[in-house]
Amino acid sequence: MDLNIIYKNKENYYNLANNYFNQLDSDELEINDLSVIFPKSISILIDHDFIPTPCIEIKLNILQNQKEVGDYFLYINEKKEFIDEFLVMY
């Protein structure tokens, strides 16, 4: 994987993750219109127990009323094809 390409296009990767996140059923997940989603990190996974690797992990942070309430993880391959997603609400 070319880290320079990922770094130069990081906004595109965050937008991709945001698009996938927006496809989730927000009523079922108790995420409301007042939630704020912002980019947290982009990582390269080399080894993982249940995610095919190598892949790219894009993490978004979820805020409600200025308090962190969860994280959304999108896993994609080098061609930006969906591998998996994971939502953690605390």
Side-chain angles (χ1 to χ4, degrees):
M1 285 186 197
D2 189 341
L3 297 178
N4 287 324
I5 291 174
I6 295 170
Y7 178 74
K8 289 178 183 177
N9 295 297
K10 65 183 177 180
E11 291 305 316
N12 291 334
Y13 285 94
Y14 286 128
N15 287 336
L16 179 65
N18 198 38
N19 289 339
Y20 274 101
F21 176 79
N22 287 330
Q23 294 176 19
L24 297 175
D25 185 357
S26 60
D27 291 336
E28 184 177 311
L29 301 170
E30 298 180 8
I31 298 170
N32 60 41
D33 293 336
L34 301 176
S35 298
V36 177
I37 312 303
F38 69 92
K40 186 78 171 191
S41 65
I42 299 175
S43 306
I44 305 297
L45 291 182
I46 303 299
D47 184 28
H48 199 280
D49 288 342
F50 62 90
I51 302 291
T53 56
C55 69
I56 301 166
E57 175 191 76
I58 306 163
K59 181 178 179 182
L60 303 178
N61 193 246
I62 305 165
L63 297 178
Q64 286 181 340
N65 301 320
Q66 300 179 348
K67 180 182 175 188
E68 289 188 24
V69 295
D71 291 309
Y72 173 74
F73 299 86
L74 175 67
Y75 300 93
I76 58 173
N77 65 16
E78 192 172 8
K79 297 177 183 177
K80 297 184 182 178
E81 297 170 331
F82 179 87
I83 294 176
D84 206 351
E85 62 187 351
F86 189 62
L87 179 66
V88 178
M89 300 299 289
Y90 3 101

